[in-house]
Amino acid sequence: MNRSVLFLAVVPIMLLCCKCRLSSAQSETTQLISKPENETQTELQSKASLEGVETQLESSPQVETRTSSKRQHEKRSSSKRMHQTRTSSKRQHETRTSSKRQHEKRTSSKRLLQERKSSSKRQDLRKSSSKRQHERKSSSKRQHERKSSSKRQHERKLSSKRQYERRSSSKRQHERRSSSKRQHEKRSSSKRLRGTEPNAVYKDPTKEVAERTRDLLQRMTLEEKIGQMMQIERINLTADIVKTQFIGSVLSAGGSVPALHASPQKWVDMVNTYQKGALATRLGIPMIYGVDAVHGHNNVYGATIFPHNVGLGVTRQVIPDPDLLKRIGAATALEVRATGIPYAFAPCIAICRDPRWGRCYESYSEDPNIVKSLTEIVLGLQGDIPPEKKGQPYVAGPDKVVGSAKHYVGDGGTVKGINENNTIVSTHELMKIHMAAYYDAISMGIATVMVSYSSINGVKMHANYDLITNYLKNKLKFEGFVISDYQGIDKITYPPHSNYTYSVEASINAGVDMVMVPYNYTEFTGILTDLVHKNIVPMSRIDDAVRRILTVKFVMGLFESPLGDSKYANKLGCKEHRELAREAVRKSLVLLKNGKSESDPLLPLPKKVKKILVAGSNADNLGNQCGGWTIEWQGLGGNNLTIGTTILKGIRATVDPTTQVIFEENPENESIKPNDFDYAIVVVGEQPYAETAGDNLNLTLPSPGPETIKNVCGSIKCVVIIVSGRPLVIEPYIESIDAIVAAWLPGSEGQGVADVIFGDYGFTGKLARTWFKTVDQLPMNFGDKNYDPLFPFGFGLETKPIGQ
C-alpha cells in the first residue's frame, strides 16, 4: 500500500519533471531555431535529458513490478506524443526555418539593395569626395598659380623697378657725368675765351689749318658739334634759330628764294642775316650757305643758264676744248658769289648708263673717260690747286666757291634707269665706270662729296660704311666733308623716315659728316645726342665729322670773310657770261642728218630767203630749252621764268632783215602750202622735269612733236631741232625729215643754235652717248656685245662755217 501510494506520488512528480524538461527542451529548440548556429548542441542536450528520464523510469523497481502494461502504454503514448511533439516541432522548425530563409532572402535582397544603394552612395560620395578633392586641388592649384603669378608679377615689377632704378641711376650718373663734363667744358671754354679770346689759335689766320681746327674742336661742346653737322633749309630758319641751335650750314633748295625775281642784293642780305646769327654764338663759328648751281646759278632770276651737262659732254669728243668747262665753272662761281653764297652743289659727275633715268641730262656722258676729263670744272669753281695742295680741299679765294662732287656713287647705273634705285654692279665695273671721275675730282681738291640716294648691290649709299669711310676717306684719302642729299638719310628706310633713329645712326657711323635736315632739325639733334650718350655713335666719329667741316671752312677763308657783299653783283647774267654760254651751245649741238643725200645737204640754211616757217612747241619756249633745275626744282615752261633768248628769237636775229619769219607752233597740214615757204625749222622735244619726275620707260617724242613733224615735213623741206635731256625714239620720223639736230637743253642762250644752223659756225659736236633705236635695246652703251644703235656713240656730222 505504501509502495503503491509512493509510486502514485512519485509518478506525477516525475511526469511533471519530464514535462518541465520537455518544455525546457522545446524552449531550447525554439532558441535553436532562432539561433541556427547553436542548433546541434541544443538538440543533443534535450535528447540526453529525455533519455535520462526514461532510464530512471525503467530502472525503478516499483514501476517495473506493478505498472508494466501501463508503462508500456504510457510509453507508447509518450513516444507518440513525443513524436508528435517532435514532428510538430520539426514542422514548426521547418516553417520557421522557411520563414527565416524567406526573411533572410528578403533581408539579403534588402541588404543587397541597401548595399548597392550604399555602394552607389559610397561611390557617389567617393566621386563627390574625389571631385571635392579635385576641386580643392584645382582651387589650391589656382590659388598657387595666382600666388605664383602674383609673385612673378611682383618679381617682374620689382625687377622692372630695379632695372628702372638701375637705368635711372645709370642715367643720373651719366647725366651727372655729362653735366659735369659740360660744366667742365663750359668752364674751361669760358676760361680760355675770357683769358685768350683775342688771341685764340683758331682765330689766327697765320696758323696752319690743322692747328686752328684742333684748337677750335677741343673748345666745342657736343651740342655745338652736332649743330655744325646740320644743313637746314632757309625757309625754316631765323637768325635766332641759327644762333641757339649752332647751325653749321643753310641751303636754298630748288625754288627756295628770298623773293620772286629777287635781286643779288636781296640774296646777300638774306644770307648775311643768317650768318650774323651764327657769328653771335659763343665761339662765333660761321655757317656755310649752299645752293644747287648745276648749270649756272640756276636758282636766281637773271643768272646765266648754261647748257645742261648732257650737252657739255658733246664738246669733248673730237675737238677738245680744255678751257670751256673750267671757264663755265669760274663764271658760275662768280655769279654764285654775287648773291653772297660760297657753296655750290656741283659738279654732277654721274655716269648715265640708261637714258630712261630722269637725271640723265645731269650726266656728261655714258663714257667715264669723258666725265673724267670734264672734272676740270672743279678748277673753275674752286680755283687752280697748287701742286703741294693736290688731293686736299682747296678754295682759291673770295671769287671762288666750295664745290661738291655728286652723287657718290653709282647713281647713273640703276636698274632700268629708275631714280634712287639699286645699281647692280661688280667691284671691277664700279671702280672702272662709276668711281673713275672721283679720283680726278679729289686730286683737283674738291672740298665736299654728296652721297647718292641710290644703292649699290642692295646697300643704301647713305648707310654704306665700306664705300664712304673705307674707300672714299681711307683709301682715296679724301679730307673734305661728306654731305647727304636732301633728306637723304630719311630714305635709308622704307617708308622714308619710318625709323629715323636708325637712319641717323647708320648714316653718321657710315661716314656722313653733314646732313641735309631741311625741316626736322630738333629731332635730329635729340636723336644724335642720345646716340652719342649711349656710345652707339662714338664721340670720335662726331669729332671726325666736325674736324672735316671746320677744315673746309678754314680753307675757304670763311672765318676771315664770313659775310657776303655786292662787289660781284654786276657779274650775275653779265654779257661776258652769256657769250660763254652761247659758245657752249654752239659746241654742244650734234648734227645727226643733213639732207636726203650727202650730195644735197640742207644745212647750213641760207639767211636770205623769202619766207621761213618756224614751228614746234619748243621753238619759242625759254623754260623748255632750259629744262629742270631752272628757277624751280622741276623747271618752268614759258618765257617768264628768267631772262634769255629763245631759239625763235635767235633765228629772227640771225636771218637777213628781208627774210620773213612766220611762227606757228602747231600748224595744220591744210594750212601749209609748199610754195609759200623756202624751208621750215621745227623745234620739238621734252618739257622740263627733274629727278624721279623725269623717269621715262618709253622715251617717245612727246606730243605734239610727231604731229608737227608730219604736218610740216610732209609738205616743206625741213630741219628738225630736238630739245631734250636725252636721246628719244625718232626712227619712225627720220625718212620724212631732211635734217636733224640734237640741241639737248641749251639753256638761256638760244642764239647759239641759230649761230650754227645758219653757218656762222660749223657743227663740231659728237655724241657723248648712244642714240638707240628702240627702248627694248636699253640699257645699251658703247662697247656692249649687241651694239646696234640708230646713231653710235661718237657720231656727229660736221659742217664748215659759211665763207670758209
Side-chain angles (χ1 to χ4, degrees):
M1 182 68 174
N2 292 333
R3 291 182 179 177
S4 300
V5 174
L6 180 64
F7 176 77
L8 290 172
V10 171
V11 168
I13 293 168
M14 293 179 68
L15 289 173
L16 181 61
C17 291
C18 290
K19 187 175 180 180
C20 289
R21 290 183 178 181
L22 284 172
S23 297
S24 178
Q26 288 174 354
S27 176
E28 290 174 358
T29 302
T30 302
Q31 290 177 5
L32 287 172
I33 291 170
S34 63
K35 296 180 181 179
E37 62 275 11
N38 299 320
E39 181 179 10
T40 303
Q41 185 178 357
T42 304
E43 287 179 353
L44 290 174
Q45 291 175 354
S46 299
K47 187 176 179 180
S49 299
L50 289 173
E51 287 177 351
V53 173
E54 289 176 355
T55 303
Q56 291 177 6
L57 290 173
E58 289 175 357
S59 62
S60 175
Q62 292 92 349
V63 174
E64 290 177 359
T65 307
R66 297 177 182 164
T67 60
S68 175
S69 300
K70 192 175 181 178
R71 284 195 302 275
Q72 290 176 0
H73 174 75
E74 289 175 353
K75 187 178 182 180
R76 285 191 298 271
S77 297
S78 177
S79 298
K80 186 176 179 180
R81 282 194 298 276
M82 288 174 67
H83 176 71
Q84 289 175 348
T85 299
R86 290 190 189 99
T87 303
S88 175
S89 297
K90 187 177 181 181
R91 281 197 298 272
Q92 289 176 3
H93 175 73
E94 288 174 351
T95 300
R96 290 190 191 97
T97 301
S98 175
S99 297
K100 185 178 180 182
R101 281 195 297 270
Q102 290 177 0
H103 175 72
E104 287 176 347
K105 286 179 181 178
R106 286 195 297 272
T107 302
S108 177
S109 298
K110 188 175 182 180
R111 278 198 304 272
L112 287 171
L113 180 62
Q114 288 176 347
E115 287 174 357
R116 289 193 191 99
K117 289 181 178 178
S118 297
S119 176
S120 177
K121 189 174 182 180
R122 284 192 299 273
Q123 289 176 1
D124 290 341
L125 289 172
R126 281 194 297 271
K127 288 179 181 177
S128 299
S129 177
S130 298
K131 186 175 181 181
R132 284 194 297 275
Q133 289 176 2
H134 176 72
E135 288 174 348
R136 282 196 296 273
K137 288 179 181 177
S138 298
S139 177
S140 298
K141 187 177 180 181
R142 285 194 296 272
Q143 289 176 2
H144 177 70
E145 288 175 348
R146 282 196 294 271
K147 288 178 182 177
S148 299
S149 176
S150 298
K151 187 176 180 181
R152 286 193 298 271
Q153 289 177 359
H154 180 65
E155 289 174 349
R156 281 197 295 270
K157 287 178 181 177
L158 288 175
S159 176
S160 299
K161 186 177 180 181
R162 286 193 294 269
Q163 289 176 4
Y164 174 75
E165 288 174 348
R166 283 196 296 270
R167 285 196 298 267
S168 298
S169 176
S170 178
K171 186 177 180 181
R172 285 193 297 273
Q173 290 174 5
H174 178 74
E175 287 174 348
R176 283 195 294 271
R177 286 195 296 268
S178 299
S179 177
S180 298
K181 185 177 179 181
R182 285 194 295 271
Q183 289 174 6
H184 174 71
E185 288 176 345
K186 287 179 181 177
R187 285 194 299 269
S188 301
S189 179
S190 297
K191 184 178 179 181
R192 285 191 294 270
L193 289 175
R194 282 198 303 271
T196 62
E197 183 178 1
N199 301 316
V201 172
Y202 78 91
K203 293 186 175 183
D204 186 352
T206 65
K207 300 294 185 182
E208 293 293 328
V209 168
E211 187 179 358
R212 298 178 73 185
T213 301
R214 189 164 49 250
D215 177 67
L216 178 53
L217 188 62
Q218 57 91 25
R219 295 172 183 268
M220 297 173 70
T221 65
L222 176 60
E223 187 179 9
E224 289 168 330
K225 290 174 181 178
I226 290 176
Q228 287 298 303
M229 296 172 67
M230 293 189 292
Q231 186 178 69
I232 317 300
E233 220 296 325
R234 54 154 290 278
I235 201 169
N236 301 307
L237 285 181
T238 63
D240 187 61
I241 293 173
V242 174
K243 177 183 176 181
T244 57
Q245 297 295 318
F246 309 104
I247 302 301
S249 186
V250 182
L251 83 148
S252 278
S256 180
V257 298
L260 183 66
H261 297 174
S263 66
Q265 188 59 54
K266 279 190 177 293
W267 279 92
V268 169
D269 292 343
M270 178 194 69
V271 173
N272 286 346
T273 298
Y274 297 128
Q275 190 65 281
K276 288 173 183 177
L279 296 175
T281 58
R282 183 177 70 92
L283 295 171
I285 304 173
M287 67 85 192
I288 180 172
Y289 200 106
V291 65
D292 282 287
V294 296
H295 62 141
H297 198 8
N298 47 262
N299 232 19
V300 178
Y301 180 82
T304 306
I305 306 300
F306 292 92
H308 266 298
N309 290 353
V310 65
L312 295 180
V314 167
T315 67
R316 289 301 294 266
Q317 271 295 71
V318 171
I319 305 177
D321 185 346
D323 297 310
L324 181 61
L325 267 292
K326 183 178 177 181
R327 287 185 285 134
I328 289 173
T332 300
L334 279 172
E335 297 202 17
V336 171
R337 281 288 191 174
T339 57
I341 297 173
Y343 183 14
F345 306 140
C348 177
I349 53 176
I351 314 294
C352 177
R353 303 290 282 179
D354 192 326
R356 290 174 290 188
W357 185 32
R359 305 190 78 158
C360 200
Y361 63 78
E362 296 183 53
S363 168
Y364 295 116
S365 176
E366 69 187 40
D367 179 15
N369 292 320
I370 290 179
V371 179
K372 277 168 59 70
S373 68
L374 296 180
T375 54
E376 66 190 15
I377 194 173
V378 172
L379 301 178
L381 291 166
Q382 297 189 166
D384 291 311
I385 186 168
E388 67 275 11
K389 299 287 187 180
K390 187 176 181 181
Q392 300 176 28
Y394 182 78
V395 180
D399 60 342
K400 301 298 180 182
V401 295
V402 169
S404 183
K406 64 182 187 180
H407 307 87
Y408 184 81
V409 61
D411 50 340
T414 59
V415 175
K416 293 185 178 180
I418 297 172
N419 191 43
E420 303 178 13
N421 200 9
N422 188 28
T423 297
I424 302 172
V425 65
S426 68
T427 301
H428 174 72
E429 290 174 322
L430 178 65
M431 298 303 164
K432 181 181 177 181
I433 297 172
H434 299 285
M435 192 71 76
Y438 287 93
Y439 307 142
D440 293 77
I442 293 171
S443 177
M444 293 176 184
I446 193 70
T448 74
V449 170
M450 185 182 292
V451 182
S452 173
Y453 288 119
S454 58
S455 304
I456 294 292
N457 298 324
V459 179
K460 282 287 186 181
M461 275 306 306
H462 277 84
N464 199 319
Y465 176 86
D466 285 338
L467 287 174
I468 296 175
T469 296
N470 279 348
Y471 196 81
L472 178 64
K473 291 183 175 181
N474 295 342
K475 183 160 185 158
L476 298 186
K477 306 300 181 184
F478 173 64
E479 285 296 321
F481 67 81
V482 175
I483 185 170
S484 81
D485 208 333
Y486 191 89
Q487 292 184 309
I489 72 169
D490 301 52
K491 297 184 179 182
I492 290 174
T493 59
Y494 185 83
H497 203 79
S498 58
N499 188 348
Y500 196 56
T501 299
Y502 170 75
S503 295
V504 174
E505 173 195 341
S507 60
I508 300 301
N509 281 338
V512 175
D513 303 311
M514 182 180 284
V515 180
M516 282 192 194
V517 193
Y519 311 113
N520 55 324
Y521 53 88
T522 54
E523 180 185 14
F524 175 86
T525 300
I527 289 174
L528 185 53
T529 301
D530 186 56
L531 291 173
V532 174
H533 285 158
K534 293 177 178 177
N535 204 32
I536 295 172
V537 173
M539 196 65 198
S540 59
R541 174 77 271 274
I542 301 297
D543 287 342
D544 174 66
V546 179
R547 177 185 63 79
R548 291 169 176 274
I549 293 166
L550 295 177
T551 295
V552 171
K553 289 184 177 182
F554 281 123
V555 163
M556 65 185 293
L558 193 60
F559 280 80
E560 287 68 54
S561 302
L563 297 174
D565 57 49
S566 302
K567 66 181 178 181
Y568 298 115
N570 62 340
K571 294 295 184 179
L572 187 78
C574 66
K575 183 177 180 181
E576 178 187 357
H577 292 168
R578 292 189 182 278
E579 285 298 323
L580 176 61
R582 182 174 173 180
E583 176 188 351
V585 172
R586 293 195 295 264
K587 293 179 176 179
S588 68
L589 302 176
V590 180
L591 182 59
L592 300 175
K593 182 180 180 181
N594 191 14
K596 296 289 186 178
S597 65
E598 293 183 7
S599 60
D600 186 21
L602 179 59
L603 297 173
L605 297 170
K607 296 179 182 179
K608 188 173 182 179
V609 292
K610 183 179 179 181
K611 188 186 291 187
I612 302 171
L613 173 64
V614 178
S617 58
N618 288 5
D620 191 32
N621 194 311
L622 186 63
N624 285 7
Q625 73 186 44
C626 287
W629 290 109
T630 308
I631 305 303
E632 296 286 349
W633 171 41
Q634 294 291 325
L636 290 169
N639 294 328
N640 296 321
L641 73 165
T642 191
I643 299 170
T645 302
T646 66
I647 294 173
L648 175 63
K649 287 182 180 179
I651 292 170
R652 283 178 168 157
T654 303
V655 297
D656 189 84
T658 62
T659 301
Q660 187 178 3
V661 178
I662 305 297
F663 173 64
E664 192 172 349
E665 185 172 329
N666 299 304
E668 296 294 333
N669 186 38
E670 294 79 11
S671 65
I672 301 173
K673 297 179 181 179
N675 295 329
D676 285 353
F677 300 98
D678 292 277
Y679 54 82
I681 301 171
V682 178
V683 189
V684 294
E686 295 184 304
Q687 289 78 47
Y689 56 81
E691 300 191 34
T692 303
D695 288 351
N696 189 330
L697 297 180
N698 58 64
L699 295 179
T700 55
L701 185 64
S703 180
E707 292 81 4
T708 304
I709 291 172
K710 179 181 178 182
N711 292 341
V712 175
C713 296
S715 303
I716 309 171
K717 188 180 292 185
C718 73
V719 54
V720 173
I721 300 171
I722 301 172
V723 174
S724 66
R726 53 200 161 187
L728 300 172
V729 177
I730 61 171
E731 188 180 27
Y733 322 113
I734 287 180
E735 289 301 318
S736 63
I737 299 171
D738 294 280
I740 304 173
V741 177
W744 312 110
L745 297 172
S748 61
E749 305 311 305
Q751 183 66 55
V753 176
D755 289 343
V756 180
I757 64 173
F758 287 105
D760 292 336
Y761 295 85
F763 282 95
T764 59
K766 305 292 179 180
L767 288 177
R769 62 182 61 259
T770 299
W771 201 296
F772 58 91
K773 294 177 181 177
T774 68
V775 291
D776 295 336
Q777 297 174 297
L778 300 177
M780 179 175 62
N781 295 284
F782 178 71
D784 290 351
K785 289 182 179 180
N786 300 316
Y787 191 71
D788 182 28
L790 182 63
F791 300 108
F793 173 85
F795 178 83
L797 302 175
E798 295 184 25
T799 63
K800 298 292 184 182
I802 293 176
Q804 288 187 8

